[in-house]
Amino acid sequence: MSDDSSQSKFNELAKQKEEIIDEMNKLNNWFETSRFGKTGSFIDAEGFPFPETELIIETKRKRGQYDCLRNDLTSVMKQIEKILPQIFNETNSSSSTKNGETAAPQVDDDNDKVEKESSAESSTEKQQPPMLKPFAIINSVAPQSPSSKAGLKPKDKIIRFGRINIGVAQGTDALLLVRDLVAASENERISLVIERNENEMKVIRLIPAKWNGAGLLGCHIDTL
């Protein structure tokens, strides 16, 4: 699949996802004002059905719609997860410069720590290869959260989040890409490459999961 077609497919899937979420939000708003809501019983404490037959029928119909939309959202998110590596690989390929220059080095997921290249000839910081530039930063990490257990710390800069790097994130909402990847990867490992203390890179293995706090990560991420 070409670079343009991969990006076009991703944009199409992202639009579908937003449309599905919009429909789910509308249903959630209806459930909040309905007597039975999304999970309320249609039977009273004595075991008899409530008399609002039409409302019960409508509630069942909307619950069915919501379940279908949730399944559709899961499907779209899985497709987004599959296409992200294609965009990532194409971006890496296109980053190989001409005139004999080589592409930016790749980080090995199996390394626990990757030291950044340093120069003894100059105290001026070298320009990082394009694919090794951070695109986001960790602002805070909640105690006992999946992020905390994985070893993430405030001020860690994200170079790669799964298959998302600065090349993939350019021209898109990077945090939206991260959110989609996290939602599609609950209880599955995601490898991160982070920059810490301005002088080293580390590989973090993060498993998004439900915990006592909000979300699946327990950290706050901002773009750079």
Side-chain angles (χ1 to χ4, degrees), residues 173-193:
D173 187 335
L175 298 186
L176 184 60
L177 294 179
V178 169
R179 188 190 72 180
D180 291 344
L181 178 56
V182 169
S185 305
E186 185 174 351
N187 298 319
E188 297 179 6
R189 189 184 75 176
I190 301 175
S191 292
L192 281 67
V193 179

Side-chain angles (χ1 to χ4, degrees), residues 12-218:
E12 178 185 341
L13 289 170
K15 182 180 178 181
Q16 290 180 24
K17 177 184 68 64
E18 292 303 320
E19 290 174 349
I20 292 171
I21 291 175
D22 184 57
E23 290 300 315
M24 292 177 73
N25 286 336
K26 289 178 182 178
L27 287 172
N28 277 325
N29 290 337
W30 188 90
F31 288 133
E32 287 176 0
T33 59
S34 172
R35 172 176 180 177
F36 301 110
K38 196 187 299 182
T39 59
S41 175
F42 302 126
I43 299 175
D44 63 23
E46 297 180 355
F48 295 99
F50 287 107
E52 299 95 330
T53 304
E54 291 185 2
L55 179 58
I56 290 174
I57 293 173
E58 181 67 5
T59 302
K60 287 182 177 180
R61 186 180 69 83
K62 290 187 180 295
R63 287 180 182 179
Q65 288 180 340
Y66 189 88
D67 288 340
C68 289
L69 287 169
R70 185 169 52 189
N71 292 336
D72 290 344
L73 181 61
T74 299
S75 175
V76 168
M77 285 183 167
K78 287 181 178 178
Q79 291 180 68
I80 289 174
E81 167 67 2
K82 287 180 180 179
I83 204 170
L84 282 177
Q86 297 175 19
I87 299 176
F88 174 80
N89 290 334
E90 287 158 2
T91 305
N92 273 351
S93 176
S94 64
S95 71
S96 298
T97 56
K98 297 180 181 179
N99 301 323
E101 294 181 5
T102 58
Q106 299 300 302
V107 179
D108 185 355
D109 279 359
D110 292 329
N111 291 337
D112 290 330
K113 184 176 179 181
V114 184
E115 296 295 338
K116 288 178 66 179
E117 193 176 57
S118 61
S119 172
E121 299 174 353
S122 172
S123 60
T124 303
E125 182 180 359
K126 281 189 173 184
Q127 182 178 3
Q128 293 173 307
M131 293 302 110
L132 295 183
K133 287 185 178 180
F135 69 90
I137 186 170
I138 305 291
N139 281 335
S140 62
V141 178
Q144 303 303 315
S145 66
S147 293
S148 176
K149 292 177 181 178
L152 283 172
K153 298 180 179 180
K155 298 184 180 179
D156 283 346
K157 295 180 180 179
I158 301 173
I159 294 172
R160 196 177 81 196
F161 195 106
R163 292 294 185 179
I164 304 167
N165 66 0
I166 194 169
V168 175
Q170 282 180 341
T172 64
D173 187 335
L175 298 186
L176 184 60
L177 294 179
V178 169
R179 188 190 72 180
D180 291 344
L181 178 56
V182 169
S185 305
E186 185 174 351
N187 298 319
E188 297 179 6
R189 189 184 75 176
I190 301 175
S191 292
L192 281 67
V193 179
I194 59 101
E195 178 185 81
R196 180 171 292 169
N197 301 325
E198 304 295 336
N199 63 355
E200 66 180 273
M201 287 192 292
K202 293 179 68 69
V203 174
I204 300 290
R205 293 173 175 84
L206 174 64
I207 300 178
K210 292 183 175 66
W211 61 295
N212 290 333
L216 299 176
L217 297 184

